Amino acid sequence: MSFIAPAHPSIATFRDLIGAPHRLAIIGHYNPDGDAMGSALGMGHALRAMGRTVDVLMPNTPPAFLQWMPGYPDVVCADRSRDRAEQLLREADVVLCLDFNRVDRVGPLAEQLSLVRCRVLIDHHQHPDIDVAVGFSDTGSSSTSQMVFDIIDALGQAGRIGPDAATCLYTGIMTDTGSFRFPATTPHTHRVAARLLEMGARPHEIHAAVMDENTMHRVKLLGFMLSERLTVHEDLGTAVIALSRQDLDRHHFHPGDTEGFVNYGLSIRGVRLSAFFMERGDRIKISLRSVGDLPVNELLAEHFDGGGHINAAGGQSLTDLRSTIDRFMQVLPTFLEAHPA
Ligand code: 5GP
Ligand code: MN
């Protein structure tokens, strides 16, 4: 079991930090996902209920399926309001870094974040590498949102979590656990979820808002990907999916449309690694998912400027789609041999 108890050494320091009249800001990672948004907004709502003024910022705009979240309209997204985001970081006394653990994960705001006087880390990724005044790093936690709940609870402030905070935190836990199915889902995860329900989160509405508001184009892109762009290498137990810029353009791609696509590879019998490649901007975005003891974060950290969790990680390559996949297929056998099933 993994959770943050009141006796956690960082709780007292964190209590002092948020108790003092500091200017607070919260930031999540580039290409914010449900957990980055959920933990940042959830913490924001809770801190405001404790009487604090706090700004929530993101390096870029989250996908449409997260824009319904309570508090989203006030989030400062640096792709649309770069100056304002930098100003908030410059003026903040304390910046809470949520759901990431390296300064470069905030993309265009990295330099400004590195100049901040006091950073607090709340995160569940492996290998934190960031200078902080207070750190909560719990790789056993299902999500940063679950950690935020634990921290507020450990502060004795769970009573401040109202329906908006509960909805945001539930969204983060639900999305990062693949709807409570990934291995990091523990009895404690379900207990936290149960308490969030009591605090006003409505699971059916949250699931519908996240999952059932697809555009037709997204569903057709999924169908196209499954029938035309998915290859299974049975000898390697690996599925490879690749979407070119042309594929995406043809299907009226919007950011977030390919969220979760990589998981379809893992749903095939005998597959223990699913690799997803797509052309995005000036780079190839890579997502890997695995089952069991196959640390895809290590493969990406070593070869593709990435990282993440053992079973879910991301990275990138600045070459083209073909060369990126060729390189991946080159390093794959050695990686698999080092981690036999
Ligand atoms: P996804 O494949 O959904 O983009 O990311 C899976 C996990 O890996 C997430 O927890 C995400 O935060 C992390 N991740 C994604 N891209 C990167 C990256 O470029 N660098 C690092 N260090 N982590 C990443
Ligand atoms: Mn997360």
Side-chain angles (χ1 to χ4, degrees):
M1 177 152 72
S2 169
F3 67 92
I4 294 149
H8 189 290
S10 295
I11 284 292
T13 330
F14 186 59
R15 178 184 284 117
D16 292 345
L17 274 183
I18 59 170
H22 290 311
R23 292 180 75 124
L24 303 174
I26 302 176
I27 185 167
H29 57 76
Y30 192 74
N31 290 340
D33 59 7
D35 191 30
M37 289 293 292
S39 58
L41 286 169
M43 180 61 99
H45 289 302
L47 286 172
R48 281 186 209 107
M50 294 177 211
R52 306 314 316 277
T53 304
V54 50
D55 291 292
V56 176
L57 35 147
M58 290 289 158
N60 60 341
T61 303
F65 71 89
L66 297 174
Q67 293 181 4
W68 59 272
M69 294 177 75
Y72 167 70
D74 297 322
V75 175
V76 177
C77 300
D79 55 339
R80 285 175 288 139
S81 316
R82 174 90 178 247
D83 291 349
R84 175 94 182 115
E86 295 200 341
Q87 182 196 0
L88 288 173
L89 285 178
R90 211 167 29 244
E91 293 176 353
D93 300 305
V94 180
V95 175
L96 277 56
C97 302
L98 266 54
D99 200 38
F100 67 94
N101 60 16
R102 275 175 31 191
V103 166
D104 64 5
R105 292 283 292 136
V106 300
L109 295 175
E111 195 185 337
Q112 201 62 51
L113 181 61
S114 67
L115 297 173
V116 164
R117 285 177 287 270
C118 175
R119 283 174 295 272
V120 175
L121 176 76
I122 304 176
D123 179 61
H124 67 135
H125 294 91
Q126 311 254 318
H127 315 305
D129 181 16
I130 178 171
D131 273 338
V132 291
V134 189
F136 298 94
S137 170
D138 183 357
T139 56
S141 186
S142 73
S143 52
T144 302
S145 297
Q146 179 178 316
M147 293 178 68
V148 166
F149 179 91
D150 288 340
I151 290 167
I152 295 167
D153 196 26
L155 290 168
Q157 300 286 342
R160 310 276 188 170
I161 300 178
D164 283 352
T167 297
C168 294
L169 296 177
Y170 185 95
T171 303
I173 296 172
M174 181 201 97
T175 51
D176 252 31
T177 58
S179 298
F180 301 92
R181 58 183 283 243
F182 297 150
T185 308
T186 61
H188 181 64
T189 308
H190 283 282
R191 283 190 194 100
V192 171
R195 290 183 66 188
L196 292 172
L197 262 57
E198 288 163 354
M199 293 162 171
R202 296 160 74 93
H204 63 291
E205 290 177 10
I206 295 171
H207 273 88
V210 173
M211 316 278 195
D212 301 337
E213 290 290 331
N214 288 309
T215 60
M216 180 195 68
H217 294 305
R218 178 186 189 256
V219 177
K220 293 204 171 189
L221 175 62
L222 172 62
F224 169 78
M225 177 203 85
L226 294 173
S227 69
E228 306 295 327
R229 295 290 184 259
L230 167 70
T231 309
V232 177
H233 300 270
E234 284 182 27
D235 50 330
L236 299 168
T238 298
V240 175
I241 301 166
L243 291 175
S244 68
R245 196 179 322 277
Q246 203 183 14
D247 295 339
L248 297 169
D249 288 348
R250 262 182 58 196
H251 291 88
H252 309 270
F253 172 80
H254 284 282
D257 279 356
T258 55
E259 185 75 32
F261 278 17
V262 62
N263 293 312
Y264 285 90
L266 277 192
S267 73
I268 300 165
R269 180 182 297 155
V271 170
R272 58 194 285 250
L273 196 168
S274 178
F276 177 86
F277 302 84
M278 70 185 269
E279 284 184 313
R280 189 150 186 213
D282 63 345
R283 60 195 57 204
I284 308 300
K285 161 78 186 142
I286 308 171
S287 286
L288 298 185
R289 299 292 184 271
S290 67
V291 286
D293 237 356
L294 197 55
V296 287
N297 53 344
E298 290 179 15
L299 186 150
L300 289 172
E302 195 174 334
H303 300 286
F304 295 103
D305 183 26
H309 309 281
I310 291 170
N311 297 128
Q316 48 252 307
S317 148
L318 289 170
T319 60
D320 61 31
L321 196 55
R322 190 67 264 157
S323 341
T324 304
I325 297 172
D326 285 349
R327 171 140 178 73
F328 172 75
M329 294 308 294
Q330 242 169 32
V331 300
L332 184 61
T334 315
F335 173 70
L336 293 174
E337 278 159 28
H339 305 279

